[in-house]
């Protein structure tokens, strides 16, 4: 059996699509297929990967117009379909080369919003129920799938589902000495411009459910006014 791929290539300002065929091996993922292409067919093919375990999020790509983690997505269903599979880089980000996009805007915004726990001087204990309520938002691996798939992200002032999930997480975390400003940050990030399309929920590989957390942020804002 053969895996048939049509990969979007971009190098030195030139864009084209190139087809490859990879012999299927048991347990093959899209990441291992891309690695075989690079090792055996075209060493110039560029893509990101690191942990190979669905933890780091760096290998996210579009597979048939849908963002997936290449290291977790099995190729067998696609092989059995017999159809050519379209592989593209994440959308809404500048392409550096082939499937590699520029991630730098994300750490820049994390620094801008100070999205880390700024601890207080006193000991803080978290209630188990509260810990459970922020567990989902803390599971984000920064794969950027939600940011890439969000139709509203084209609005430059819109923070995006990734950051709203982070705002929610730190708003509720009692260890964060600046948690009271998180709702204000969300409002400045155009919280109410969310289209409520749930697309970010559908693509998150860690089931963070950003759209759900956005609605909870809105509810907190309503209760605060």
């Amino acid at each position: 059996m053969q895996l048939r791929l049509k990969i979007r290539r971009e190098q030195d300002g030139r864009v084209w699509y190139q087809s490859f065929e990879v012999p299927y091996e048991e347990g093959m993922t899209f990441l291992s297929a891309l690695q075989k292409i690079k090792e055996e067919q075209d060493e110039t093919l560029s893509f990101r990967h690191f942990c190979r375990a669905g933890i780091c999020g760096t290998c996210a790509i579009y597979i048939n117009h849908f963002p997936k983690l290449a290291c977790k997505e099995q190729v067998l269903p696609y092989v059995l379909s017999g159809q050519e599979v379209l592989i593209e880089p994440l959308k809404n980000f500048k392409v550096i080369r082939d499937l590699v996009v520029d991630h730098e805007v994300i750490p820049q915004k994390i620094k801008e919003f100070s999205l880390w726990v700024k601890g207080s001087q006193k000991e803080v204990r978290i209630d188990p129920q509260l810990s459970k309520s922020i567990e989902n938002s803390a599971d984000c691996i920064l794969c950027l799938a939600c940011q890439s798939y969000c139709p509203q992200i084209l609005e430059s002032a819109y923070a995006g589902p990734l950051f709203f999930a982070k705002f929610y997480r730190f708003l509720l975390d009692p260890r964060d000495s600046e948690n009271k400003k998180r709702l204000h940050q969300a409002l400045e990030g155009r919280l109410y411009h969310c289209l409520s399309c749930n697309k970010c929920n559908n693509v998150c590989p860690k089931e963070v459910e950003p759209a759900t957390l956005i609605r909870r942020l809105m509810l907190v804002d309503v209760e605060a006014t």
Side-chain angles (χ1 to χ4, degrees):
M1 294 189 295
Q2 298 285 321
L3 173 66
R4 299 168 57 224
L5 300 178
K6 183 178 181 180
I7 303 178
R8 184 188 185 277
R9 309 292 304 273
E10 181 169 344
Q11 297 179 10
D12 301 322
R14 189 168 73 94
V15 178
W16 74 101
Y17 286 83
Q18 187 172 358
S19 294
F20 296 93
E21 288 193 3
V22 183
Y24 172 72
E25 297 177 0
E26 186 176 355
M28 177 179 279
T29 64
F30 277 91
L31 177 56
S32 54
L34 291 172
Q35 288 174 320
K36 285 190 72 69
I37 291 173
K38 189 173 182 67
E39 292 169 1
E40 301 175 4
Q41 299 185 43
D42 189 342
E43 63 181 13
T44 69
L45 179 64
S46 297
F47 51 91
R48 274 200 174 101
H49 66 94
F50 187 69
C51 74
R52 306 183 187 185
I55 297 173
C56 72
T58 58
C59 68
I61 55 175
Y62 268 58
I63 300 174
N64 282 348
H65 308 288
F66 203 78
K68 298 278 190 179
L69 294 181
C71 69
K72 300 296 288 184
E73 188 72 3
Q74 295 285 318
V75 306
L76 182 57
Y78 301 86
V79 171
L80 294 176
S81 75
Q83 297 180 349
E84 190 173 57
V85 183
L86 180 63
I87 305 295
E88 298 172 295
L90 292 179
K91 302 185 187 302
N92 297 330
F93 293 93
K94 179 183 177 182
V95 176
I96 297 175
R97 183 183 174 99
D98 293 338
L99 303 177
V100 179
V101 299
D102 188 356
H103 290 176
E104 283 307 304
V105 64
I106 301 302
Q108 286 173 6
K109 284 192 174 183
I110 287 176
K111 291 178 182 178
E112 177 186 337
F113 292 129
S114 300
L115 288 177
W116 53 81
V117 172
K118 292 193 173 183
S120 61
Q121 297 299 317
K122 58 183 180 180
E123 181 182 3
V124 179
R125 296 189 179 186
I126 302 181
D127 182 88
Q129 285 297 110
L130 176 59
S131 178
K132 188 174 182 179
S133 69
I134 64 175
E135 184 177 339
N136 271 18
S137 53
D139 285 342
C140 172
I141 59 174
L142 301 177
C143 69
L144 312 186
C146 62
Q147 292 287 105
S148 175
Y149 207 57
C150 173
Q152 189 63 8
I153 206 69
L154 295 176
E155 179 189 346
S156 60
Y158 185 70
L162 184 156
F163 292 100
F164 290 127
K166 295 292 184 185
F167 293 145
Y168 179 83
R169 179 251 198 271
F170 290 113
L171 174 68
L172 267 65
D173 196 327
R175 296 170 299 177
D176 184 14
S177 61
E178 296 190 354
N179 59 354
K180 292 182 180 179
K181 77 174 186 180
R182 302 306 183 178
L183 181 58
H184 178 68
Q185 288 179 319
L187 294 173
E188 283 192 332
R190 307 295 194 271
L191 174 67
Y192 285 93
H193 288 205
C194 172
L195 301 176
S196 298
C197 61
N198 279 343
K199 286 187 175 182
C200 53
N201 278 8
N202 296 335
V203 300
C204 179
K206 293 298 181 180
E207 299 183 356
V208 172
E209 297 190 351
T212 304
L213 301 183
I214 287 173
R215 288 189 283 271
R216 290 180 185 173
L217 277 171
M218 292 176 179
L219 182 60
V220 170
D221 179 48
V222 169
E223 291 176 345
T225 55

